[in-house]
Amino acid sequence: MKDDFWYKNAVFYEVAVRAFKDSNGDGRGDLRGIAEKIDYLQILGVDCVWIMPIYPSPLKDDGYDVADYYGVDRAYGSLDDLKGLIEAAHSHGIRIIMDLVLNHTSDEHPWFQSARSNRSAPYRDYYVWSDTDQKYKDARIVFVDTESSNWTWDEQAGQYYWHRFYSSQPDLNFDNPKVQDEMLNVARFWLDIGIDGFRVDAAPYLFEREGTICENLPETHAYLKRLRSFIHEHYPGRILLCEANQWPEDVRPYFGDGDEFHMAFHFPLMPRIFMALRRGEVGPIRWVMQQTPPIPPDCQWCTFLRNHDELTLEMVTEEEREWMWKEYAPDLRMRLNLGIRRRLAPLLDNDRRRIELAKSLLFTLPGAPIIYYGDEIGMGDNLDLFDRNGVRTPMQWDSSPNAGFTTESPYTELVKGDLAFRNVNVTAQLRDPHSLFHTIQKMIALRRRHAAFGGSSMEWVEIGNPTVAAFVRKNGDDVVLVLSNLSHDVQSVVVPPQYREDCLDLLSSCVVSLGAELELRPYSYLWLQLPNGE
Ligand code: NOJ
């Protein structure tokens, strides 16, 4: 595992630890459970697993409310279990990254307990306090469905404290050099254990300044660069992946000159893949790719369709958001904050063609794709569950009681209805050569074999039909023309003269002779390898 640039053409996989596999019969998934399933992840073909927070936590935000940065919540196992998981993963050629929650702690963290006790408490200055709730008025509220202000009055402290997320998550004060150093110690601790990097939670919010939106501030970038240079110096080959739900031009600085993050999620692309699929029109994807600036050569975008949060609609216009809600969240229970709390398969009406097409786009557009656990088998969601818990239900391993997730009663209700475990599960899909799992496995294997997908080059091909996405990916001699029919009708496209050749259809392994015109079945996609150096 020596390649320092491994992330550039990697396939990532996000795991909610509590939901993946219970190894000890307490009804909750744990680190040993993931280790038990490493073979499965290897068969799927993923290169790196991102595990959601495992820190001790009161779980008011599923572990993003950290009560101790130097431990593992007993529900998930122990530090030794984490080491065991990393070892098991590495022996299968898989890396493990975890969340680094810099911006805030739980209100149950001992630092906050000390800080709130009195004004001269040693940890008082670890948090952001004020006598008024009128400061930083330009900062938006993220959890609009649950919070009405970014300030909460603390009776014991006799002051307001600042928080960008739930009021149970007070923000750390990064103006305090001790906080800055402490968080480097946290990073060091996990890197010494062997973790391959971090998904840095809520990166834009570290500092507050009056008269700004308190996001993306120069001070924040300066600190993140310090974190990067620390990693670069002491832990080469480990990565930082940025969670900044921002427009591409605001995310771009998080890559710096190749001296800040290695990777950043591409938030604005995600809803536009769904828009394009619903409208049957490539416009939204082309638009967002045009807005996407080039990034330094050692950096990479991380692209995704779904994750553990709501499908966020922050990076669209208000009009587009209303349209997305109307199309994809007709039942009001599906809406949450500025997004949609549904999984991939139900969002696409469990239509196999559209699910495959969405994945095909994910795997062929620039960036390193990440799969949300369970989406490779088309798992459903459970709208009866609170907030985002509806998309964090137990992995559906087989058709035995409790989906093979646990031998005891699971921590939560499972998915009900058509996409429940008796219909949708890993064991059945592994057995069926035509399953969604196998299609995705194939896409991953092809991606791995073709350097074109890991490069940065992408050129749109004019084929005279806006219903079809047509682009070429190229890296050295490897050139792949990708065609995707976004509509439910047969579409024909004009093949530009330079592509009228014999090419290899990568998904079927057949040779296709491209003529002047080509017909594409509804929602079909083709990955065509062009003769060398086209
Ligand atoms: C982003 C995480 O993805 C989300 O789940 C969490 O609630 C917030 N950051 C706060 O940590």
Side-chain angles (χ1 to χ4, degrees):
M1 314 264 282
K2 278 248 167 299
D3 175 15
D4 283 359
F5 302 105
W6 60 271
Y7 52 90
K8 288 202 66 183
N9 193 18
V11 173
F12 289 72
Y13 187 90
E14 178 185 0
V15 166
V17 182
R18 193 146 50 110
F20 203 59
K21 175 72 179 133
D22 174 19
S23 73
N24 61 358
D26 69 356
R28 291 170 294 191
D30 44 46
L31 294 167
R32 285 187 182 203
I34 305 174
E36 280 174 19
K37 293 295 184 186
I38 277 293
D39 284 348
Y40 168 75
L41 296 171
Q42 189 184 35
I43 292 170
L44 179 60
V46 305
D47 301 289
C48 181
V49 175
W50 155 30
I51 51 172
M52 279 175 62
I54 52 171
Y55 308 97
S57 161
L59 296 180
K60 290 187 191 147
D61 186 11
D62 224 349
Y64 287 98
D65 46 333
V66 178
D68 173 8
Y69 283 103
Y70 299 99
V72 172
D73 197 296
R74 254 182 293 153
Y76 300 131
S78 63
L79 280 176
D80 278 341
D81 291 338
L82 178 66
K83 288 182 193 158
L85 169 60
I86 294 172
E87 219 170 275
H90 285 182
S91 72
H92 285 69
I94 295 174
R95 289 176 164 88
I96 305 278
I97 63 170
M98 65 188 280
D99 270 283
L100 182 63
V101 188
L102 295 176
N103 181 66
H104 46 266
T105 69
S106 158
D107 57 1
E108 292 185 23
H109 195 292
W111 298 339
F112 189 73
Q113 291 302 321
S114 150
R116 75 182 352 169
S117 65
N118 67 73
R119 286 193 188 221
S120 49
Y123 288 98
R124 183 72 165 198
D125 201 31
Y126 266 46
Y127 295 88
V128 182
W129 300 98
S130 166
D131 291 327
T132 120
D133 60 358
Q134 296 303 304
K135 284 169 79 177
Y136 314 136
K137 290 302 260 184
D138 298 331
R140 71 193 164 118
I141 294 167
V142 180
F143 289 162
V144 286
D145 284 1
T146 36
E147 302 299 324
S148 52
S149 167
N150 286 326
W151 291 107
T152 289
W153 175 255
D154 192 70
E155 207 47 58
Q156 213 186 329
Q159 277 191 306
Y160 292 94
Y161 62 88
W162 178 249
H163 56 88
R164 292 310 299 267
F165 298 94
Y166 291 130
S167 56
S168 52
Q169 291 164 300
D171 271 33
L172 284 164
N173 174 18
F174 271 82
D175 275 317
N176 181 349
K178 285 192 191 146
V179 168
Q180 295 196 13
D181 293 347
E182 186 76 53
M183 297 320 278
L184 290 188
N185 285 337
V186 171
R188 178 184 300 125
F189 178 80
W190 296 102
L191 291 162
D192 282 344
I193 280 174
I195 206 82
D196 293 297
F198 300 107
R199 177 257 191 197
V200 177
D201 184 67
Y205 307 101
L206 304 188
F207 285 80
E208 300 74 38
R209 292 290 179 265
E210 203 54 76
T212 74
I213 59 166
C214 300
E215 292 176 35
N216 313 325
L217 296 176
E219 294 83 347
T220 295
H221 285 292
Y223 180 70
L224 293 168
K225 283 193 163 65
R226 192 175 152 206
L227 173 63
R228 168 64 184 266
S229 85
F230 165 74
I231 288 183
H232 183 73
E233 197 176 325
H234 302 287
Y235 305 94
R238 322 282 185 102
I239 62 158
L240 290 170
L241 164 58
C242 176
E243 191 226 4
N245 188 355
Q246 307 280 332
W247 291 101
E249 72 263 24
D250 294 324
V251 179
R252 174 63 189 83
Y254 287 92
F255 293 112
D257 295 323
D259 59 353
E260 211 169 309
F261 280 91
H262 301 80
M263 303 186 77
F265 289 113
H266 201 317
F267 276 93
L269 171 63
M270 179 274 295
R272 287 176 178 81
I273 293 179
F274 289 97
M275 272 185 217
L277 276 173
R278 200 64 154 206
R279 286 194 198 154
E281 201 221 304
V282 66
I285 299 178
R286 281 191 81 148
W287 181 84
V288 77
M289 294 312 292
Q290 265 155 20
Q291 311 302 309
T292 303
I295 54 177
D298 294 344
C299 295
Q300 184 58 293
W301 293 103
C302 187
T303 52
F304 64 104
L305 293 168
R306 290 297 296 113
N307 62 20
H308 64 288
D309 288 325
E310 67 275 28
L311 186 167
T312 161
L313 297 173
E314 277 167 88
M315 293 304 121
V316 298
T317 64
E318 269 180 44
E319 207 184 353
E320 289 168 331
R321 185 179 308 136
E322 288 302 328
W323 183 86
M324 285 287 288
W325 268 332
K326 182 164 70 66
E327 294 294 326
Y328 283 111
D331 176 343
L332 293 186
R333 291 184 315 154
M334 297 169 176
R335 303 180 188 185
L336 177 69
N337 300 317
L338 296 186
I340 301 173
R341 53 182 201 114
R342 299 182 78 190
R343 262 191 184 264
L344 183 66
L347 274 167
L348 299 178
D349 306 318
N350 196 27
D351 178 344
R352 174 74 183 266
R353 297 169 308 171
R354 280 187 283 153
I355 296 172
E356 279 188 26
L357 180 55
K359 287 281 184 207
S360 166
L361 287 165
L362 180 74
F363 287 130
T364 53
L365 284 164
I370 182 158
I371 301 167
Y372 185 47
Y373 83 96
D375 280 352
E376 74 277 18
I377 54 167
M379 241 172 82
D381 49 36
N382 185 336
L383 289 174
D384 293 340
L385 300 174
F386 176 68
D387 205 282
R388 293 157 291 172
N389 294 344
V391 298
R392 301 177 188 177
T393 56
M395 180 70 174
Q396 299 174 182
W397 292 106
D398 58 41
S399 59
S400 67
N402 301 323
F405 160 72
T406 179
T407 50
E408 296 306 316
S409 65
Y411 66 92
T412 186
E413 216 175 60
L414 305 179
V415 172
K416 296 181 261 188
D418 288 351
L419 300 179
F421 65 95
R422 293 207 200 276
N423 296 334
V424 176
N425 67 66
V426 169
T427 306
Q429 295 207 13
L430 284 174
R431 242 184 256 135
D432 172 6
H434 304 293
S435 64
L436 179 63
F437 174 91
H438 281 116
T439 304
I440 289 176
Q441 180 194 44
K442 183 173 210 171
M443 290 186 192
I444 295 176
L446 284 171
R447 229 199 101 94
R448 187 193 293 277
R449 250 181 275 142
H450 286 273
F453 297 119
S456 56
S457 131
M458 176 207 184
E459 269 179 39
W460 292 100
V461 177
E462 301 309 330
I463 37 92
N465 185 343
T467 307
V468 174
F471 52 82
V472 167
R473 302 295 314 278
K474 181 176 163 119
N475 196 353
D477 277 351
D478 194 30
V479 189
V480 182
L481 168 65
V482 182
L483 294 165
S484 314
N485 178 358
L486 302 166
S487 81
H488 47 70
D489 300 313
V490 174
Q491 296 290 333
S492 67
V493 300
V494 177
V495 179
Q498 68 270 35
Y499 302 124
R500 292 177 195 164
E501 291 192 70
D502 287 350
C503 31
L504 180 64
D505 176 346
L506 294 177
L507 292 149
S508 71
S509 308
C510 295
V511 173
V512 177
S513 297
L514 285 185
E517 220 182 73
L518 180 69
E519 274 206 344
L520 290 164
R521 282 176 292 108
Y523 299 123
S524 65
Y525 51 93
L526 288 171
W527 301 8
L528 302 174
Q529 187 183 23
L530 299 167
N532 276 356
E534 190 55 58

